[in-house]
């Protein structure tokens, strides 16, 4: 898989990754990490966990990946890595390694996938999780306010009832059992503190949906 560190990219094998992971008690993947700020802070706050930020847009991760790879005195962290990949084509090296998955404020094909219950996106997410791994998705519902952007015009509004009724079977088929679907509160958004959570909360936090699921196991 392709790992980014500032302006450089390199290949990392499953064996190379295993060496990184060995000292840690759990693995978190932040899928669609964007600039990677959330992954970086999470790794700082949870030094016993290894955190992987994953996003197809390599340039977006440049600043935080450079910082993480630097000297400890300048913000270097041993327990975070940034991987260039999309959820539809997750690297084989990440298969079944995470006991925690985050999808924070997705956009593009990942947003469509989690809202429509698209099997390719959901199976991609599920493939990253160990048995019993936990998935936490936060979807911005403000985009369904007028004027709805083109990307969301044909999407159903993802209410908690829609998630429990319509999405649950699709998530189930992908091996993800929904355990919670509810409105995500403004103070929770403030605590989430991703770059987009802050950007979208400029005046007030956007109404949002939280979906939590547990990975039910691989074939
Ligand atoms: C609104 S940004 C949120 C970034 C970050 N999670 C945050 O909260 O600051 C949405 C992110 O989803 C990523 N994304 C969109 N489609 C994706 C896909 N198919 N696989 C992985 N990431 C995707 C985009 O590249 C972008 O970084």
């Amino acid at each position: 898989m392709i790992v980014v560190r500032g302006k450089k990219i390199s290949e990392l094998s499953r064996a190379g990754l295993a060496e990184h992971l060995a000292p840690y008690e759990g693995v978190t993947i932040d899928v669609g990490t964007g600039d990677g700020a959330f992954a970086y802070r999470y790794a700082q706050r949870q030094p016993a966990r290894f955190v992987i930020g994953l996003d197809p847009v390599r340039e977006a991760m440049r600043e935080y990946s450079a910082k993480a790879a630097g000297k400890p005195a300048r913000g270097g962290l041993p327990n975070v890595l940034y991987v260039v990949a999309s959820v539809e084509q997750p690297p084989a090296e990440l298969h079944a390694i995470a006991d925690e998955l985050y999808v924070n404020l997705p956009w593009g094909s990942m947003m469509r996938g989690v809202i429509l219950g698209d099997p390719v996106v959901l199976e991609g997410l599920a493939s990253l999780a160990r048995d019993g791994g936990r998935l936490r998705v936060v979807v911005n519902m403000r985009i369904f306010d007028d004027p709805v952007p083109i990307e969301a015009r044909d999407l159903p509004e993802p209410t908690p009832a829609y998630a429990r009724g319509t999405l649950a079977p699709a998530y189930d088929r992908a091996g993800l059992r929904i355990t919670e679907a509810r409105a995500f509160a403004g103070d929770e958004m403030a605590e989430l503190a991703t770059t987009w959570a802050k950007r979208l909360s400029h005046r007030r936090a956007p109404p949002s949906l939280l979906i939590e699921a547990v990975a039910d196991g691989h074939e």
Side-chain angles (χ1 to χ4, degrees), residues 32-34 55-57 85-88 104-107 109-110 194-196:
T33 195
D55 204 285
V57 184
S86 70
V87 71
E88 292 92 337
N104 294 321
L105 302 166
W107 192 242
S109 62
M110 193 164 57
T194 73
T195 297
W196 275 89

Side-chain angles (χ1 to χ4, degrees), residues 30-38 54-58 60-61 85-89 102-112 121 192-200:
D30 180 29
V31 187
T33 195
D35 67 0
F38 174 82
L54 185 134
D55 204 285
V57 184
R58 166 187 161 188
M61 299 182 280
S86 70
V87 71
E88 292 92 337
Q89 293 183 307
Y102 284 89
V103 177
N104 294 321
L105 302 166
W107 192 242
S109 62
M110 193 164 57
M111 173 184 74
R112 297 182 62 80
V121 167
L192 190 64
T194 73
T195 297
W196 275 89
K198 289 186 210 160
R199 201 172 284 175
L200 293 166

Side-chain angles (χ1 to χ4, degrees), residues 96-159:
I97 66 160
D99 55 332
E100 272 184 357
L101 290 173
Y102 284 89
V103 177
N104 294 321
L105 302 166
W107 192 242
S109 62
M110 193 164 57
M111 173 184 74
R112 297 182 62 80
V114 296
I115 293 179
L116 289 172
D118 173 53
V120 176
V121 167
L122 297 180
E123 284 163 18
L125 282 171
S127 77
L128 301 169
R130 284 185 200 162
D131 279 6
R134 293 184 172 272
L135 166 69
R136 196 165 192 258
V137 183
V138 178
V139 180
N140 170 16
M141 305 236 300
R142 191 186 277 157
I143 59 165
F144 296 96
D145 291 352
D146 223 16
V148 181
I150 283 177
E151 290 86 340
R153 259 178 222 168
D154 60 335
L155 292 178
E157 192 167 332
T159 59

Side-chain angles (χ1 to χ4, degrees), residues 9-34:
I9 53 167
S10 56
E11 234 345 276
L12 186 64
S13 65
R14 177 94 184 188
L17 178 65
E19 272 178 42
H20 281 287
L21 303 184
Y24 298 96
E25 64 190 31
V27 177
T28 301
I29 305 183
D30 180 29
V31 187
T33 195

